[in-house]
Amino acid sequence: MRVMENDMKRPTLSTLQAGLLLLQQVRRAHNTLITQLVALGQTLGIHVDCSDWAIPGWERGLRRRLAWALYMQDKWGVLCHGRPSLISDRITGEGENDSDWDVRPCTVDDFYEISIKAEDVPYGSINAPTGRVSFLYAIELTRIFSQLQYAFCSVGATKKGGRLDRLGATETMALAEPFAQQLRQWYINLPGCLKLDTTAHVRSLSANGALHISHMAAELTLHRAVLRALRPDTPPSLRSTIRTAARARLLSALKLVEMLQPKHTQSFWGYSAPAQVAMIGSFAGLLWATSADCDEAIEYVRHVERLRWALQIRGLGVPFVREALRLLDKEIGDLEAFKAATYQRFA
């Protein structure tokens, strides 16, 4: 951090690269570093289109990649830290983007490193071409999540008397449907190399698990917003529909965690992965808190137990798993006390 602070006096693209790498450390003590990096990136012109700049092609590609890496770091920080996004990319009008974020979409052509053939991947490495495609799809997913969190998780949306309060359950569902469709289409469009059970080479690791967990977190965010829109006067049929869909998504998320293999858990996991995984537990907690009877509530307690067990057997030696368990304990607390509170609630 001392070196970073000195380097920020005369920052370069390498300073931004180093800062982004540093932020991937689990349980970072310097959570304000992202604020400094956003300001640093804007100083370096990361936030504007460099297509017609008089710079080498490799630097244009590097700038776009760093811009979108910084973008993803900021947007998923909303989920991790509960703070508003630092990068404004709100779309206004019919596809019009009047924000200060004017970066051209990243493509495979922006990667100027030497390609490595799948058969030449060193033992225990990630296939580089697949990693590049994964990066591009992660950007697309994050752009959907950015607009989603603005619509459902911003201060204006969640405050008393805010957007969601005014809309009610029916209109909130209508607002959520386009986002749900975008997330479904994103998943359908995934190429074969990014499927969860795909590995480019028998000796290589797979970073696909982190991509699928991010997609799951975006969907849970959407379902959580719709659940919170339920009111005492919500028609029973609509309430049942919303809760049934939320339960199905919870079970799907649990199954996803249980499908993770060592080739996934031993691969690269970004800074947001622990919060995304722990979100499954907090989502089960929300369903528990709004359950109508004891049997339903106990079911969600068991789902939290299932999540904790799935994480424990996938290795306490994996940093993101340890952090996810810590966050889960912080959110849910002692499971025995959780069970006792359930029986007491319906006594």
Side-chain angles (χ1 to χ4, degrees):
M1 286 304 299
R2 285 195 300 270
V3 173
M4 282 290 298
E5 288 170 6
N6 290 332
D7 212 31
M8 282 183 181
K9 296 173 184 176
R10 298 184 65 183
T12 64
L13 293 179
S14 297
T15 312
L16 183 55
Q17 286 177 298
L20 287 169
L21 288 172
L22 185 61
L23 280 174
Q24 306 315 307
Q25 297 299 311
V26 174
R27 296 195 70 177
R28 304 158 307 283
H30 305 280
N31 287 329
T32 58
L33 180 57
I34 180 60
T35 308
Q36 295 174 280
L37 291 182
V38 170
L40 186 155
Q42 291 170 340
T43 300
L44 295 171
I46 284 293
H47 61 298
V48 295
D49 185 15
C50 62
S51 299
D52 57 354
W53 289 15
I55 56 176
W58 66 264
E59 185 177 341
R60 280 194 291 271
L62 177 59
R63 280 179 166 272
R64 288 193 194 102
R65 287 153 51 190
L66 286 176
W68 289 111
L70 185 64
Y71 177 90
M72 290 191 285
Q73 186 81 27
D74 171 59
K75 296 303 178 180
W76 288 106
V78 174
L79 178 66
C80 298
H81 307 304
R83 56 154 179 76
S85 172
L86 300 168
I87 294 175
S88 172
D89 67 329
R90 180 185 171 191
I91 297 175
T92 57
E94 291 296 326
E96 290 295 326
N97 186 353
D98 296 329
S99 72
D100 290 323
W101 185 258
D102 184 32
V103 183
R104 200 192 77 175
C106 199
T107 67
V108 174
D109 293 336
D110 291 322
F111 293 85
Y112 279 77
E113 288 76 6
I114 299 173
S115 296
I116 301 176
K117 296 180 181 178
E119 59 268 22
D120 296 330
V121 174
Y123 180 80
S125 298
I126 298 173
N127 179 261
T130 301
R132 294 167 190 167
V133 176
S134 177
F135 182 76
L136 301 182
Y137 274 85
I139 294 171
E140 184 181 343
L141 176 63
T142 306
R143 295 182 74 176
I144 299 172
F145 178 73
S146 173
Q147 300 303 315
L148 186 159
Q149 66 86 19
Y150 172 78
F152 295 99
C153 306
S154 63
V155 174
T158 57
K159 70 180 181 180
K160 187 176 181 180
R163 184 186 308 116
L164 298 185
D165 265 357
R166 297 193 304 271
L167 289 177
T170 302
E171 292 186 45
T172 299
M173 279 191 68
L175 180 63
E177 180 55 35
F179 293 105
Q181 181 59 38
Q182 289 181 60
L183 290 171
R184 280 194 296 270
Q185 195 59 49
W186 178 91
Y187 187 81
I188 291 171
N189 291 340
L190 282 180
C193 65
L194 296 184
K195 300 298 183 183
L196 187 64
D197 58 352
T198 301
T199 305
H201 192 274
V202 68
R203 296 176 301 168
S204 61
L205 299 177
S206 172
N208 295 350
L211 189 64
H212 285 260
I213 288 290
S214 294
H215 175 257
M216 173 274 301
E219 290 201 323
L220 287 183
T221 300
L222 197 57
H223 280 280
R224 185 165 63 179
V226 176
L227 272 175
R228 287 176 171 172
L230 292 174
R231 299 291 180 267
D233 60 348
T234 301
S237 59
L238 179 59
R239 178 184 296 274
S240 176
T241 299
I242 291 174
R243 291 188 62 83
T244 299
R247 178 181 179 276
R249 194 63 195 91
L250 172 64
L251 295 177
S252 179
L254 289 169
K255 184 178 179 180
L256 173 60
V257 174
E258 292 171 340
M259 289 174 64
L260 295 178
Q261 301 175 27
K263 67 180 181 181
H264 301 120
T265 57
Q266 297 297 325
S267 183
F268 171 77
W269 289 80
Y271 76 107
S272 61
Q276 291 169 342
V277 173
M279 186 181 181
I280 303 172
S282 63
F283 187 71
L286 176 60
L287 286 167
W288 169 84
T290 54
S291 297
D293 56 66
C294 187
D295 290 341
E296 184 185 11
I298 287 298
E299 178 192 356
Y300 292 118
V301 174
R302 289 173 180 154
H303 288 325
V304 174
E305 288 181 312
R306 178 181 166 186
L307 173 62
R308 181 173 287 176
W309 174 249
L311 291 174
Q312 288 175 338
I313 64 174
R314 270 152 188 81
L316 293 177
V318 180
F320 94 90
V321 171
R322 288 200 309 271
E323 180 65 2
L325 283 167
R326 186 190 72 83
L327 292 174
L328 187 60
D329 288 340
K330 183 179 178 181
E331 287 281 341
I332 302 298
D334 181 67
L335 275 176
E336 293 304 318
F338 196 25
K339 290 179 185 177
T342 304
Y343 290 116
Q344 183 178 3
R345 177 183 161 201
F346 292 98

